[in-house]
Short mmCIF file of all heavy atoms in Angstrom, two decimals:
data_model
loop_
_atom_site.label_atom_id
_atom_site.label_comp_id
_atom_site.label_asym_id
_atom_site.label_seq_id
_atom_site.Cartn_x
_atom_site.Cartn_y
_atom_site.Cartn_z
N ALA H 1036 168.29 134.72 139.68
CA ALA H 1036 167.57 135.88 139.44
C ALA H 1036 166.07 135.68 139.44
O ALA H 1036 165.30 136.54 139.92
CB ALA H 1036 168.02 136.59 138.15
N LYS H 1037 165.67 134.57 138.87
CA LYS H 1037 164.22 134.19 138.90
C LYS H 1037 163.82 133.41 140.06
O LYS H 1037 162.59 133.10 140.20
CB LYS H 1037 163.92 133.39 137.56
CG LYS H 1037 164.15 134.14 136.29
CD LYS H 1037 163.81 133.24 135.11
CE LYS H 1037 163.95 133.99 133.82
NZ LYS H 1037 163.60 133.16 132.58
N ARG H 1038 164.74 133.17 140.96
CA ARG H 1038 164.47 132.39 142.16
C ARG H 1038 163.73 131.07 141.78
O ARG H 1038 162.70 130.76 142.45
CB ARG H 1038 163.72 133.22 143.15
CG ARG H 1038 164.44 134.50 143.53
CD ARG H 1038 163.60 135.39 144.46
NE ARG H 1038 163.25 134.73 145.72
CZ ARG H 1038 164.04 134.64 146.82
NH1 ARG H 1038 165.26 135.19 146.73
NH2 ARG H 1038 163.67 134.02 147.85
N THR H 1039 164.25 130.32 140.89
CA THR H 1039 163.63 129.11 140.41
C THR H 1039 164.68 128.05 140.27
O THR H 1039 165.82 128.29 139.78
CB THR H 1039 162.93 129.31 139.10
OG1 THR H 1039 161.93 130.33 139.24
CG2 THR H 1039 162.24 128.03 138.61
N VAL H 1040 164.36 126.80 140.74
CA VAL H 1040 165.19 125.64 140.57
C VAL H 1040 164.46 124.64 139.63
O VAL H 1040 163.24 124.44 139.73
CB VAL H 1040 165.47 124.99 141.92
CG1 VAL H 1040 166.25 123.69 141.68
CG2 VAL H 1040 166.24 125.88 142.73
N TYR H 1041 165.20 124.06 138.73
CA TYR H 1041 164.62 123.18 137.75
C TYR H 1041 165.23 121.78 137.95
O TYR H 1041 166.31 121.59 138.42
CB TYR H 1041 164.99 123.63 136.33
CG TYR H 1041 164.55 125.03 136.01
CD1 TYR H 1041 165.42 126.09 136.12
CD2 TYR H 1041 163.20 125.34 135.64
CE1 TYR H 1041 165.00 127.34 135.85
CE2 TYR H 1041 162.80 126.60 135.39
CZ TYR H 1041 163.73 127.64 135.51
OH TYR H 1041 163.32 128.93 135.20
N LEU H 1042 164.40 120.75 137.54
CA LEU H 1042 164.89 119.40 137.47
C LEU H 1042 164.53 118.85 136.12
O LEU H 1042 163.32 118.60 135.86
CB LEU H 1042 164.29 118.51 138.61
CG LEU H 1042 164.80 117.08 138.71
CD1 LEU H 1042 166.29 117.09 139.09
CD2 LEU H 1042 164.00 116.24 139.62
N GLN H 1043 165.50 118.75 135.25
CA GLN H 1043 165.30 118.16 133.94
C GLN H 1043 165.46 116.64 134.07
O GLN H 1043 166.55 116.12 134.44
CB GLN H 1043 166.34 118.68 132.91
CG GLN H 1043 166.16 118.07 131.51
CD GLN H 1043 164.88 118.48 130.84
OE1 GLN H 1043 164.50 119.63 130.83
NE2 GLN H 1043 164.22 117.49 130.22
N MET H 1044 164.37 115.94 133.69
CA MET H 1044 164.34 114.49 133.88
C MET H 1044 164.29 113.80 132.49
O MET H 1044 163.30 114.05 131.77
CB MET H 1044 163.14 114.07 134.73
CG MET H 1044 163.13 114.70 136.08
SD MET H 1044 161.76 114.03 137.14
CE MET H 1044 160.40 114.66 136.19
N ASN H 1045 165.27 113.09 132.17
CA ASN H 1045 165.39 112.43 130.87
C ASN H 1045 165.41 110.89 131.10
O ASN H 1045 165.73 110.43 132.14
CB ASN H 1045 166.60 112.87 130.09
CG ASN H 1045 166.61 114.32 129.76
OD1 ASN H 1045 165.58 114.92 129.49
ND2 ASN H 1045 167.77 114.93 129.69
N SER H 1046 165.15 110.16 130.05
CA SER H 1046 165.17 108.72 130.09
C SER H 1046 164.40 108.20 131.27
O SER H 1046 164.84 107.32 132.01
CB SER H 1046 166.65 108.21 130.11
OG SER H 1046 167.39 108.67 129.05
N LEU H 1047 163.19 108.68 131.45
CA LEU H 1047 162.41 108.29 132.58
C LEU H 1047 161.97 106.82 132.57
O LEU H 1047 161.76 106.30 131.51
CB LEU H 1047 161.15 109.17 132.62
CG LEU H 1047 161.34 110.62 133.14
CD1 LEU H 1047 160.26 111.53 132.73
CD2 LEU H 1047 161.52 110.59 134.68
N LYS H 1048 162.01 106.29 133.73
CA LYS H 1048 161.62 104.91 133.99
C LYS H 1048 160.35 104.78 134.78
O LYS H 1048 160.04 105.69 135.54
CB LYS H 1048 162.78 104.15 134.67
CG LYS H 1048 164.13 104.24 133.96
CD LYS H 1048 165.21 103.65 134.85
CE LYS H 1048 166.57 103.73 134.19
NZ LYS H 1048 167.62 103.11 135.00
N PRO H 1049 159.65 103.70 134.67
CA PRO H 1049 158.46 103.51 135.54
C PRO H 1049 158.73 103.66 137.02
O PRO H 1049 157.88 104.20 137.74
CB PRO H 1049 157.92 102.10 135.16
CG PRO H 1049 158.41 101.91 133.79
CD PRO H 1049 159.76 102.60 133.69
N GLU H 1050 159.89 103.25 137.50
CA GLU H 1050 160.26 103.42 138.88
C GLU H 1050 160.52 104.84 139.29
O GLU H 1050 160.70 105.10 140.46
CB GLU H 1050 161.49 102.53 139.23
CG GLU H 1050 162.63 102.70 138.35
CD GLU H 1050 162.80 101.72 137.19
OE1 GLU H 1050 161.73 101.36 136.60
OE2 GLU H 1050 163.94 101.19 136.98
N ASP H 1051 160.55 105.76 138.34
CA ASP H 1051 160.59 107.17 138.72
C ASP H 1051 159.20 107.71 139.09
O ASP H 1051 159.13 108.93 139.54
CB ASP H 1051 161.16 108.03 137.55
CG ASP H 1051 162.60 107.66 137.24
OD1 ASP H 1051 163.41 107.50 138.19
OD2 ASP H 1051 162.94 107.57 136.03
N THR H 1052 158.19 106.96 138.92
CA THR H 1052 156.83 107.44 139.26
C THR H 1052 156.75 107.79 140.73
O THR H 1052 157.08 106.96 141.62
CB THR H 1052 155.81 106.35 138.92
OG1 THR H 1052 155.77 106.16 137.48
CG2 THR H 1052 154.42 106.75 139.38
N ALA H 1053 156.37 108.96 141.10
CA ALA H 1053 156.34 109.43 142.46
C ALA H 1053 155.71 110.84 142.48
O ALA H 1053 155.62 111.47 141.49
CB ALA H 1053 157.68 109.46 143.08
N VAL H 1054 155.42 111.26 143.74
CA VAL H 1054 155.17 112.68 143.92
C VAL H 1054 156.45 113.32 144.21
O VAL H 1054 157.23 112.89 145.07
CB VAL H 1054 154.21 112.90 145.13
CG1 VAL H 1054 154.06 114.39 145.42
CG2 VAL H 1054 152.85 112.27 144.82
N TYR H 1055 156.78 114.38 143.47
CA TYR H 1055 158.06 115.04 143.61
C TYR H 1055 157.88 116.36 144.36
O TYR H 1055 156.94 117.17 144.06
CB TYR H 1055 158.63 115.38 142.21
CG TYR H 1055 159.26 114.15 141.59
CD1 TYR H 1055 158.50 113.14 141.07
CD2 TYR H 1055 160.68 114.06 141.46
CE1 TYR H 1055 159.08 112.02 140.53
CE2 TYR H 1055 161.28 112.96 140.88
CZ TYR H 1055 160.48 111.96 140.41
OH TYR H 1055 161.02 110.80 139.85
N TYR H 1056 158.68 116.59 145.41
CA TYR H 1056 158.62 117.73 146.23
C TYR H 1056 159.91 118.60 146.12
O TYR H 1056 160.98 117.98 146.04
CB TYR H 1056 158.47 117.33 147.67
CG TYR H 1056 157.26 116.51 148.03
CD1 TYR H 1056 157.28 115.12 147.89
CD2 TYR H 1056 156.07 117.13 148.46
CE1 TYR H 1056 156.19 114.34 148.21
CE2 TYR H 1056 154.92 116.35 148.71
CZ TYR H 1056 154.98 115.01 148.64
OH TYR H 1056 153.89 114.18 148.93
N CYS H 1057 159.79 119.86 146.18
CA CYS H 1057 160.93 120.64 146.36
C CYS H 1057 160.97 121.15 147.78
O CYS H 1057 159.92 121.35 148.42
CB CYS H 1057 161.03 121.87 145.37
SG CYS H 1057 159.70 123.04 145.39
N ALA H 1058 162.12 121.33 148.34
CA ALA H 1058 162.34 121.65 149.72
C ALA H 1058 163.61 122.49 149.87
O ALA H 1058 164.44 122.50 149.00
CB ALA H 1058 162.42 120.44 150.61
N ALA H 1059 163.73 123.18 150.99
CA ALA H 1059 164.82 124.09 151.23
C ALA H 1059 165.39 123.96 152.63
O ALA H 1059 164.62 123.71 153.56
CB ALA H 1059 164.42 125.57 151.00
N VAL H 1060 166.73 124.16 152.76
CA VAL H 1060 167.32 124.11 154.09
C VAL H 1060 168.43 125.13 154.09
O VAL H 1060 169.10 125.32 153.03
CB VAL H 1060 167.86 122.71 154.41
CG1 VAL H 1060 168.90 122.28 153.44
CG2 VAL H 1060 168.35 122.66 155.85
#
């Protein structure tokens, strides 16, 4: 309804460091 996608990220690690992109297909 809100046309929104979420990514809940827990227990983050240094190797998770990045630019995060959302994309659609």
Side-chain angles (χ1 to χ4, degrees):
K1037 296 181 178 179
R1038 300 177 61 83
T1039 302
V1040 174
Y1041 305 96
L1042 185 66
Q1043 179 66 47
M1044 304 185 294
N1045 298 325
S1046 301
L1047 283 161
K1048 304 174 181 179
E1050 53 262 44
D1051 294 319
T1052 295
V1054 176
Y1055 284 71
Y1056 302 88
C1057 61
V1060 63

